[in-house]
Amino acid sequence: VLLARDCRIDGSTCVIDLFEVAYSQFLAFRLAGSPDPAVTNAFAAVVPWSADGAALLGIMGGHTANAGQIYFACGTPDRTDTREGGRVDLAGSAGREFLEETGLALPADAPEAWVLVSGQSQHAFLLPVRFAETAEVLHGRMEAHRQSEAAPELAGFAIARGLDDLDAARMPGFVRAYLTDAFAGAQR
């Protein structure tokens, strides 16, 4: 997988220096509490919003390194996300992970308005995308996809409609920070 050594804003662009490590090294780094403050996990995720204002999240399966956690479909980038010139395609990584885990393709008119949430040794690049269906319809489509998989990564999906749906024990900090801000903004 690819971890970040540096993350800086240059005008309207975020520049990240990434380096490759074995997945086992990544897990050891996490288990040790991310001991090197100069190293972070930089990743991208699609944030699916329903037509009726709910966010949909995945619940990680019991066989995964993040068993039981609830967050947006994402994954730490790896060398398959590297393009010509050594550039890493975080947007492509997010789209691929989203399709793999939910079975949903991004709408053709999806905007490219990214949100960066940093903290707890992470840089989460989030792409909020509004879908035309209600939360229940999206949930049903995502669940049908999950059940069709031979070995699904996810145990299921969760719908968050407001601040009361945030789970401090199972949602990582970047999810809670983003949704707190998003739901607070919707109530203004």
Side-chain angles (χ1 to χ4, degrees), residues 86-150:
R87 298 178 76 87
V88 175
D89 182 9
L90 287 178
S93 174
R96 183 190 74 247
E97 291 285 342
F98 183 72
L99 179 62
E100 287 174 4
E101 295 179 18
T102 68
L104 301 179
L106 296 178
D109 61 348
E112 289 257 351
W114 291 87
V115 175
L116 173 59
V117 179
S118 295
Q120 299 176 329
S121 297
Q122 295 179 324
H123 295 297
F125 293 85
L126 306 178
L127 179 63
V129 176
R130 179 79 56 182
F131 286 81
E133 296 93 347
T134 65
E136 285 72 22
V137 169
L138 287 172
H139 184 275
R141 289 177 56 202
M142 293 161 69
E143 187 59 32
H145 169 75
R146 188 187 72 79
Q147 291 181 12
S148 74
E149 292 182 296

Side-chain angles (χ1 to χ4, degrees), residues 134-178:
T134 65
E136 285 72 22
V137 169
L138 287 172
H139 184 275
R141 289 177 56 202
M142 293 161 69
E143 187 59 32
H145 169 75
R146 188 187 72 79
Q147 291 181 12
S148 74
E149 292 182 296
E153 184 175 355
L154 301 177
F157 298 94
I159 299 173
R161 296 188 180 281
L163 296 173
D164 291 341
D165 293 325
L166 302 187
D167 185 335
R170 295 175 59 198
M171 290 179 173
F174 77 92
V175 171
R176 293 189 322 273
Y178 170 77

Side-chain angles (χ1 to χ4, degrees), residues 8-15:
R8 61 196 176 283
I9 305 296
D10 184 9
S12 63
T13 302
C14 185
V15 179

